[in-house]
Amino acid sequence: MNAIIENHINKKPITFELSKKTCVRQKSLSHGLTWAHYRNNNEHLSYVNNKQHTLSMYLTGGYNTFRTDIKANKGAPGKFCLMPKGADSQWQVGDTQEFMHLYFDDTYIKRLALRVFDIDPRTIDLPELTFTEDLGLEALFRHNMARANWHTNDLQLALEQVTDTILISMLQRMGNKQLKSPLKGGLSPKICVLVCDFIQANYQRQIYLDELADLAQLSEYHFCRMFKESLAQTPQEYLTNVRIEHVKHALSYSELKLADIALKVGFSNQSHMGRYFKKLIGVSPREFRRQA
């Protein structure tokens, strides 16, 4: 009996470091992205980074803030820190300072690298950075994020685009120095293209897991593992993302009703489409159409 690819989006809690700092504001964007603006002063804290990667920049102050677990420079306005998932650190915070954190999932950055640069997700290995400078990134943080109104949905898509630009700039800054090698596991490039092309061509209908496994000449279990290794997402997540891209196109360039769009791209109904659209894009289909 054919097994249908299950609809599933992993729900991962956002981990914020234990601290007395004040959260000035916070904004969750699409699935896997969260911004937070903090204020803090005069304390020793531990940063336990076990759920997401964190890219942060000091807006003001930080001159007497430094890490106590390693030898590093002190902070200052415009200085960046990158704390990859799994990196723990100890900090001494000085006089009053304000800073912004961008929390992003490992899955999100890997999919972005694949989509923009055609980089194999398995090669992404973010470095730990403490108080570095990047004038381009600083301008994006200050002029596009720090000055933006986070409390309105009208800017949701614009904030997502700026966030992607920031992460893309970060990847470009890394160059090829942080790429892992050699690669192990995953689908071969030929099989990966074959399977993705099949999904792209058949996204409007129900796709069965055994169809994809047969294309790859693997068992269903082994295929799912290898697919996620290569594309940083499950086959169902890939299919859902393909459908959502077609929904975005239809919302932008057609006047079809939402219920008709849902059926046209392969969702069972409008509610089903709306739930996944809001999860992945951050706004409802109606709000997206209004902003497009």
Side-chain angles (χ1 to χ4, degrees):
M1 182 176 179
N2 288 336
I4 301 174
I5 304 173
E6 294 182 359
N7 286 313
H8 179 69
I9 293 181
N10 292 324
K11 295 181 179 179
K12 296 183 179 179
I14 297 167
T15 297
F16 297 97
E17 58 272 35
L18 297 175
S19 172
K20 297 177 182 178
K21 68 180 179 292
T22 301
C23 184
V24 179
R25 54 182 175 163
Q26 183 177 319
K27 177 71 172 179
S28 293
L29 297 176
S30 57
H31 191 59
L33 291 179
T34 299
W35 282 92
H37 179 171
Y38 293 111
R39 183 181 298 116
N40 199 6
N41 67 86
N42 300 313
E43 72 162 327
H44 184 82
L45 61 85
S46 297
Y47 188 96
V48 182
N49 200 39
N50 58 1
K51 292 294 181 182
Q52 293 180 298
H53 306 302
T54 306
L55 178 65
S56 61
M57 192 197 83
Y58 285 73
L59 294 170
T60 62
Y63 297 106
N64 294 312
T65 295
F66 56 92
R67 288 183 63 170
T68 59
D69 58 323
I70 65 170
K71 186 176 182 179
N73 295 327
K74 292 185 178 181
K79 293 289 184 72
F80 284 91
C81 294
L82 175 60
M83 294 289 113
K85 177 183 174 182
D88 297 342
S89 53
Q90 303 285 325
W91 300 80
Q92 180 60 50
V93 179
D95 297 335
T96 301
Q97 59 190 35
E98 292 196 22
F99 51 96
M100 292 171 59
H101 281 358
L102 168 58
Y103 300 95
F104 56 100
D105 285 348
D106 190 61
T107 297
Y108 191 91
I109 193 65
K110 288 181 175 180
R111 290 181 187 175
L112 185 66
L114 175 64
R115 187 174 77 245
V116 177
F117 300 111
D118 198 26
I119 295 176
D120 192 307
R122 293 167 292 172
T123 66
I124 300 300
D125 185 24
L126 298 180
E128 184 175 306
L129 302 175
T130 303
F131 298 138
T132 63
E133 294 181 278
D134 188 303
L135 294 179
L137 274 181
E138 182 180 359
L140 289 169
F141 264 71
R142 288 191 184 281
H143 302 301
N144 296 92
M145 290 306 304
R147 295 181 181 178
N149 181 357
W150 294 7
H151 303 297
T152 174
N153 285 331
D154 292 341
L155 295 177
Q156 180 86 12
L157 297 181
L159 294 181
E160 285 186 35
Q161 291 169 359
V162 172
T163 303
D164 279 353
T165 301
I166 286 171
L167 292 175
I168 290 167
S169 297
M170 181 191 74
L171 288 171
Q172 289 175 320
R173 189 178 190 277
M174 285 167 45
N176 293 320
K177 296 178 181 179
Q178 297 297 327
L179 301 185
K180 293 179 179 177
S181 63
L183 296 178
K184 296 180 180 179
L187 301 173
S188 70
K190 181 179 179 181
I191 294 299
C192 196
V193 170
L194 180 66
V195 171
C196 289
D197 284 350
F198 182 87
I199 294 175
Q200 293 277 357
N202 294 276
Y203 71 91
Q204 294 168 305
R205 69 169 177 84
Q206 192 175 78
I207 296 178
Y208 293 92
L209 189 56
D210 65 352
E211 292 180 276
L212 303 180
D214 285 346
L215 284 175
Q217 297 184 340
L218 296 169
S219 69
E220 293 179 15
Y221 173 76
H222 193 54
F223 167 74
C224 286
R225 289 185 59 198
M226 295 300 98
F227 188 96
K228 190 166 185 178
E229 284 272 346
S230 293
L231 295 166
Q233 56 195 311
T234 66
Q236 178 60 45
E237 288 170 339
Y238 183 88
L239 173 60
T240 300
N241 277 288
V242 169
R243 286 173 173 168
I244 291 299
E245 286 303 310
H246 283 278
V247 172
K248 288 166 63 177
H249 186 272
L251 291 172
S252 299
Y253 300 105
S254 80
E255 296 182 359
L256 288 173
K257 296 179 179 179
L258 297 185
D260 293 335
I261 293 174
L263 297 177
K264 180 180 175 65
V265 304
F267 287 106
S268 57
N269 53 52
Q270 180 179 333
S271 177
H272 184 207
M273 177 187 75
R275 185 167 66 253
Y276 280 95
F277 195 94
K278 181 71 179 287
K279 221 23 160 172
L280 295 172
I281 306 303
V283 296
S284 70
R286 291 186 190 281
E287 289 172 319
F288 182 90
R289 172 170 268 175
R290 191 178 70 248
Q291 295 180 42

